Amino acid sequence: MPKPKQGTSGSRPEVGFRDVTLVGRQGNVLAYASQVALRSSTIGLSGVTLAASALSPLLRGTSVTLHASGRPRVMLTDLRLSLPLGHYPLPEGGWGCDLAIGAFRRARNLPARPMPRRAAANAKRLPGSRRRA
């Protein structure tokens, strides 16, 4: 196996998601983004809507879970966002911005399916019920 070139060891490929929800540790929605791109320790978001109380924690640093298509995909530890183009208040409450970039300490991929199909099928079945053939 060839040795990796300098600067490429341990780097992860870029991963992207559409229509993402950022959820905090307590289960509260912190932000919505139309597009998100993740790299080794950086994140880029476009079309961002922030909850009214979420601006301060996201700028200081917090742990979030990225939900795409209604499922948790990636957990980010110590995410700190920066809003280089500024932010503006929304009439219904909260904040909006066109672009947000940031850094995080660690990313952990979450399984797409928490348990195997066989285990999920067995868990849904009532005791004593018969399986259809």
Side-chain angles (χ1 to χ4, degrees):
M1 183 165 164
K3 293 171 69 174
K5 293 183 181 178
Q6 186 176 357
T8 60
S9 63
S11 66
R12 295 172 49 178
E14 187 171 318
V15 179
F17 299 103
R18 291 187 180 267
D19 301 325
V20 173
T21 305
L22 277 82
V23 179
R25 283 193 185 259
Q26 291 81 20
N28 51 342
V29 175
L30 300 176
Y32 297 104
S34 60
Q35 294 181 350
V36 172
L38 291 171
R39 192 118 181 159
S40 59
S41 64
T42 58
I43 185 170
L45 300 96
S46 66
V48 183
T49 303
L50 302 164
S53 61
L55 186 60
S56 176
L58 286 173
L59 295 176
R60 280 180 300 162
T62 186
S63 295
V64 298
T65 304
L66 259 93
H67 289 250
S69 302
R71 294 186 304 184
R73 301 294 180 134
V74 180
M75 180 180 284
L76 303 175
T77 305
D78 196 24
L79 172 68
R80 292 175 188 261
L81 286 182
S82 173
L83 310 174
L85 300 178
H87 58 282
Y88 49 89
L90 297 173
E92 61 273 359
W95 303 93
C97 66
D98 297 326
L99 175 70
I101 57 174
F104 52 88
R105 186 175 300 156
R106 199 179 80 147
R108 189 180 79 177
N109 289 332
L110 299 173
R113 187 176 293 123
M115 64 172 77
R117 289 181 188 232
R118 170 80 76 204
N122 291 338
K124 293 178 185 176
R125 194 175 332 135
L126 295 172
S129 64
R130 301 177 80 184
R131 188 182 337 173
R132 293 182 186 167

